[in-house]
Amino acid sequence: MARNTRIVVVGGGYVGMYTALRLQKKLRKGEAEVTVIDPQPHMTYQPFLPEAAAGSIEPRHVVVPLRKVLQKCQHLTGRVTAISHADREVTVELAAGHTTTLGYDVLVVAPGSVARTLPVPGLAEQGIAFKTVGEAIYLRNHVLSRLDAAATTLDPALRRRLLTFLVVGGGYAGIEALAELADMARYASRYYENINREDIRWVLVEAANRIMPEVGPKMGRYTVERLLDADIEVNLDTRVKTMVGGHVELDDGQSFDTDTIIWTAGVKPNPMLEHTDLPRDARGRIECSAELEVNGMPGVFSAGDCASVPDLSKDDPEAKTSPSAQHAVRQAKVLADNIVAHVRNKKLKQYEHSYAGSVASLGLYKGVAEIYGIKLRGIIAWFMHRTYHVSRMPTWNRRVRIVFDWTGALFLGREVVSLGQINDPKADFDRVAGGGPRPAGQAQPAPSGVPSDPVPVGRAVS
């Protein structure tokens, strides 16, 4: 009796989870075995991270537990470190600490992307990205804790440093994180007698001459105007020269001190792909056909941020689909159907999807959107942003929970309490137990006299 086809899915993000979800619906019983491998036991819906950081949504509600939704699949919590298609093996470093290899008949490579870093002095020590729910929770607690610290010092220089927040990168992630966190900080300032809204300084630095290129020049200018109206400093055509010790120097001559640097200057394919024998383009992405099959490797598929997929909706034969959630979710549907077709020796379909547009939140009741050429702004665009993304959130469980979160925030206001202890949960116990130095990897006291709650060293570097 022939064994079942072994399907291994590397990555539990948009592509990985949606592909596995569709496979478990489409495959017949006993037709194939699906294994999903990801370092985290959940999929993160990243468009909701800014609202989770700002207290409008409970952070647990923006993640989908893989074991709960993929009940007909096997899930391994571990990190894929290498792929050898010549041997049809995947090497996995499991959560328990040991390494194993898995064989496969069909492979889906979808590890996604990581923060794209630059050789800026001090970035590894001072910066933090905004791609995971852990980073969103950390930034929420960190920003609020800076207000707490600023309210307790008489040193004007330290106070300015604590109340200065820098965001590097003017794409979707940077703008939405900036707008939501700035809204939250200024909302929270009403509860501090000695901190006014005007005391809190938010700075955006973008190397290009515009922000959010996805929404077009006109909407980009509108976004800049709304940020300026919110007293956010916008620096275009500007680069960070150094941020050593939190002292930031820009190439236009500006300099200031800050205790918060959020790095959202683009993404790059997961570095794990360097340890594979898969074909990749100049940008490090896996080269795929329009059927989402890796070039020259039947039975190996890829999609999402790490894949170079022809964009058939454009006349340019060199055009590739953009690394967006919109494409990832739609590619996953075609990818899953093509895997089923491959298993049943049927013809594969090509992926073709015209870009429908984009929506972005600029804080509470503010937004921009461009949908099929129609431009929207203000509260209508903000409502479209929420409506679109809640409709795309996997499972009704999470959709209902998010709507309840929004309803509670509407009538009861934001939650503006810092739970900073979760960044160093053993600190109090170490003090009472007379503990010595913390083991490697635990939080360390902040440098330069800054109140503790430091940005984790290296968190932004992948």
Side-chain angles (χ1 to χ4, degrees):
M1 182 177 178
R3 61 172 173 77
N4 296 339
T5 301
R6 299 171 300 177
I7 301 174
V8 173
V9 180
V10 177
Y14 291 113
V15 173
M17 193 207 71
Y18 280 109
T19 298
L21 198 61
R22 191 167 179 85
L23 283 175
Q24 71 179 11
K25 295 178 182 177
K26 293 283 187 176
L27 291 168
R28 304 185 189 105
K29 185 176 181 180
E31 190 171 21
E33 298 172 352
V34 181
T35 301
V36 180
I37 309 170
D38 195 87
Q40 301 297 331
H42 58 255
M43 173 265 199
T44 302
Y45 192 75
Q46 293 183 354
F48 279 146
L49 286 182
E51 291 199 58
S56 297
I57 300 176
E58 162 64 40
R60 288 175 297 178
H61 297 166
V62 304
V63 298
V64 181
L66 294 176
R67 295 182 189 276
K68 187 173 182 178
V69 299
L70 302 177
Q71 295 185 15
K72 295 181 182 179
C73 303
Q74 181 185 11
H75 175 257
L76 287 182
T77 304
R79 188 179 303 278
V80 172
T81 57
I83 297 173
S84 173
H85 184 60
D87 301 318
R88 287 191 171 268
E89 284 186 345
V90 173
T91 303
V92 188
E93 185 180 294
L94 297 172
H98 59 276
T99 300
T100 188
T101 58
L102 271 71
Y104 63 83
D105 300 306
V106 177
L107 179 66
V108 177
V109 186
S113 59
V114 299
R116 178 176 64 90
T117 57
L118 300 173
V120 178
L123 173 59
E125 295 77 16
Q126 301 298 324
I128 182 170
F130 196 78
K131 283 184 63 65
T132 69
V133 69
E135 288 165 339
I137 294 171
Y138 175 86
L139 280 168
R140 169 181 168 74
N141 293 326
H142 178 80
V143 169
L144 292 173
S145 73
R146 300 306 84 185
L147 270 64
D148 288 332
T152 61
T153 181
L154 298 177
D155 183 340
L158 178 57
R159 180 182 168 91
R160 281 194 302 273
R161 175 190 175 108
L162 293 168
L163 295 179
T164 298
F165 304 92
L166 171 64
V167 175
V168 181
Y172 270 111
I175 296 301
E176 291 191 333
L178 168 64
E180 292 286 351
L181 287 170
D183 261 10
M184 179 195 71
R186 284 164 179 160
Y187 175 87
S189 69
R190 68 182 67 184
Y191 302 109
Y192 295 85
E193 294 182 356
N194 58 348
I195 296 180
N196 299 318
R197 290 170 55 93
E198 296 76 19
D199 298 331
I200 304 173
R201 181 187 183 191
W202 286 87
V203 182
L204 172 67
V205 172
E206 166 57 45
N209 62 359
R210 55 181 293 194
I211 63 173
M212 293 202 306
E214 299 87 350
V215 299
K218 186 175 181 180
M219 300 302 283
R221 288 192 295 271
Y222 172 81
T223 302
V224 170
E225 291 170 2
R226 296 292 74 76
L227 295 177
L228 294 173
D229 289 344
D231 296 324
I232 294 171
E233 300 176 26
V234 179
N235 299 275
L236 303 180
D237 275 327
T238 307
R239 292 170 176 78
V240 179
K241 292 171 58 179
T242 179
M243 53 180 71
V244 174
H247 180 71
V248 177
E249 295 183 9
L250 307 181
D251 63 0
D252 65 356
Q254 293 186 68
S255 65
F256 53 86
D257 293 325
T258 178
D259 198 32
T260 308
I261 299 173
I262 305 171
W263 184 266
T264 63
V267 296
K268 64 180 181 181
N270 195 304
M272 181 277 294
L273 298 178
E274 298 172 6
H275 305 286
T276 73
D277 54 0
L278 307 178
R280 297 192 296 150
D281 65 9
R283 298 173 60 184
R285 299 178 301 175
I286 302 171
E287 295 180 338
C288 298
S289 66
E291 290 80 10
L292 305 176
E293 197 169 39
V294 176
N295 291 344
M297 295 185 172
V300 182
F301 298 84
S302 186
D305 291 358
C306 70
S308 177
V309 179
D311 191 344
L312 300 184
S313 67
K314 298 180 180 179
D315 295 331
D316 183 1
E318 300 298 321
K320 306 294 181 181
T321 57
S322 62
S324 67
Q326 182 181 145
H327 279 301
V329 173
R330 288 174 169 81
Q331 285 173 352
K333 181 179 178 180
V334 176
L335 195 157
D337 290 346
N338 280 350
I339 290 175
V340 174
H342 175 83
V343 171
R344 298 173 183 171
N345 295 315
K346 295 183 178 180
K347 185 178 179 181
L348 307 187
K349 297 179 181 178
Q350 293 185 330
Y351 172 77
E352 181 175 0
H353 170 69
S354 298
Y355 187 63
S358 53
V359 290
S361 170
L362 301 180
L364 200 59
Y365 308 129
K366 302 183 291 291
V368 292
E370 185 171 357
I371 303 171
Y372 294 112
I374 301 174
K375 297 179 174 61
L376 302 170
R377 57 181 67 175
I379 192 170
I380 296 176
W382 171 82
F383 180 77
M384 289 290 293
H385 170 269
R386 284 194 163 187
T387 302
Y388 172 79
H389 283 301
V390 79
S391 72
R392 295 296 181 226
M393 186 72 193
T395 78
W396 278 102
N397 179 305
R398 285 303 185 265
R399 293 172 194 164
V400 171
R401 290 177 185 272
I402 287 171
V403 171
F404 279 157
D405 287 341
W406 284 337
T407 304
L410 175 65
F411 291 103
L412 303 176
R414 297 175 185 261
E415 288 289 351
V416 286
V417 59
S418 169
L419 302 178
Q421 297 105 321
I422 67 173
N423 297 320
D424 190 5
K426 275 183 59 63
D428 288 340
F429 185 78
D430 284 347
R431 279 192 288 270
V432 299
R438 296 187 183 93
Q442 291 194 12
Q444 300 296 324
S448 306
V450 177
S452 63
D453 185 21
V455 173
V457 172
R459 183 79 71 88
V461 176
S462 302

